[in-house]
Every structure is written in structure tokens, then in C-alpha cells.
Amino acid sequence: YLPAGGSVQLDLAGVEGAFSLRWLDISHSRWLAPQAIQAGQKVQVTTPGKGHWAAVIKAPGSSKTRKPR
């Protein structure tokens, strides 16, 4: 969660594969299309704009939804 936009660095150096990143524009209740993030390195992720943003990052092979147990 980035309350004023901006960026954050993710250390994905110890993992392999492509992660999925999807941004939620909280102020406008709008999801952006997913993007691929390549693991195996440090990755800088920057919000698409100013304001309140949340990032959902999924590992390779993770399910789209999970049912509670």
C-alpha cells in the first residue's frame, strides 16, 4: 500500500519465474491490467499515478482465488 503514490524496491533475487503485478487505484475503485515482473533480481515498482494505490503481487502458479477453510 502506497498512500501517496511513489515506488518501492522488491528483492526477488532469491526466487525464479515471472510474478504478476496488479495495481488498485483505491481513490477511484479501479483495477489496472496485470503486468509481469521478472524475478531473479531487485525490481523497482512505481505506482501509475499519485494518490492511494495498492499492489497485488502473485507468485507463479498461484491460484486466482482461494476459498477459506
Side-chain angles (χ1 to χ4, degrees):
Y1 172 66
L2 292 104
S7 61
V8 65
Q9 186 175 66
L10 304 175
D11 186 355
L12 302 176
V15 293
E16 296 179 359
F19 284 66
S20 170
L21 164 67
R22 193 157 186 209
W23 287 104
L24 171 61
D25 179 352
I26 295 172
S27 298
H28 298 101
S29 301
R30 180 177 56 114
W31 285 98
L32 299 187
Q35 304 170 238
I37 299 176
Q38 191 59 44
Q41 60 189 339
K42 290 183 180 180
V43 179
Q44 189 79 16
V45 216
T46 303
T47 60
K50 295 181 181 180
H52 297 269
W53 289 90
V56 176
I57 300 168
K58 291 186 178 181
S62 64
S63 64
K64 291 184 180 180
T65 58
R66 294 182 186 224
K67 296 181 181 179
R69 295 181 181 208

